[in-house]
Amino acid sequence: EDEIRSFGARRCGDEHGRRRYLALALEAANGTWVARDEQTAIGIAFARVSEDDVALVDLYVEPGFRERGIGTALFEKAVGDVAERSRSAVAPAADPAAHAFAVRHRLHARSVLLQVAGTIPKEDELLRLAASDYRFGVRSVDPIADSYALDALDREVRGGARPEDHAVFAAEASSIAFSLDGEFVGYAYVWPSG
């Protein structure tokens, strides 16, 4: 667990992110895999597996140990046998090596397009800022009542549903459900750290 915490401290910018990283690593379906050079941890990988999707949550190999097959070995252990499931990974937009890895391993690469930090406005103000009242309807996400719409939207956009994620996100973050003419068309979560 100390090695996971160490990677989380280097890979996550705030305390909430580090706690979430540790929780995801500890509940990874196929375990969290750490590569070592003698006694030094040089790489880590873990994935979330759901009914129809596997998402590579983190895969990292220290730069001096790349191009040796370590990333592929970690990936195969973390993902396991998922031939019938869609596969995805978050790849930083400015990291061409991460995108190349995703292509080589048939992963749908997703990139964070915008990350905002700072003080979070009160929820009413946040809702007003996120969507204007004249076009989109906005309210908080209810992971139980909205489960059908969330699953359908995630399957269409991401290739698989992720109900466990929505339960955690709704408990830990502020949420916004967007509707257009009464139809559920999107959602967003805002973490405590912004």
Side-chain angles (χ1 to χ4, degrees):
E1 193 173 306
D2 288 341
E3 290 173 326
I4 297 169
R5 286 181 192 278
S6 175
F7 276 107
R10 290 185 298 182
R11 311 234 341 116
C12 301
D14 60 42
E15 184 58 34
H16 181 267
R18 289 187 285 279
R19 282 195 317 272
R20 186 75 189 124
Y21 185 93
L22 179 62
L24 288 169
L26 294 177
E27 55 189 49
N30 295 326
T32 296
W33 296 86
V34 176
R36 292 178 185 80
D37 179 43
E38 297 182 18
Q39 297 302 315
T40 304
I42 60 165
I44 190 169
F46 55 95
R48 293 283 313 259
V49 179
S50 69
E51 181 179 308
D52 50 10
D53 179 56
V54 62
L56 185 61
V57 176
D58 194 24
L59 172 63
Y60 177 78
V61 176
E62 294 288 351
F65 292 91
R66 294 180 184 168
E67 302 298 325
R68 299 181 191 185
I70 296 168
T72 296
L74 285 168
F75 166 76
E76 289 171 355
K77 293 288 190 183
V79 171
D81 182 23
V82 294
E84 300 300 317
R85 294 185 179 125
S86 67
R87 302 169 2 154
S88 64
V90 174
D95 188 348
H99 287 274
F101 185 92
V103 169
R104 283 195 311 272
H105 295 280
R106 298 184 349 253
L107 293 164
H108 181 98
R110 303 183 192 299
S111 294
V112 175
L113 299 178
L114 175 66
Q115 188 169 3
V116 180
T119 304
I120 300 172
K122 292 185 178 189
E123 192 165 327
D124 290 346
E125 180 67 12
L126 184 63
L127 292 174
R128 190 186 67 69
L129 291 170
S132 47
D133 293 336
Y134 70 90
R135 179 154 185 213
F136 288 103
V138 293
R139 61 176 173 72
S140 294
V141 172
D142 180 336
I144 296 170
D146 295 328
S147 64
Y148 179 78
L150 289 165
D151 289 352
L153 189 59
D154 284 341
R155 282 189 179 106
E156 181 180 337
V157 175
R158 296 175 44 86
R162 55 185 189 153
E164 298 86 5
D165 287 344
H166 288 292
V168 171
F169 296 166
E172 295 185 12
S174 297
S175 64
I176 302 168
F178 298 94
S179 61
L180 186 58
D181 296 326
E183 180 183 354
F184 189 101
V185 295
Y187 61 84
Y189 293 99
V190 179
W191 295 107
S193 60

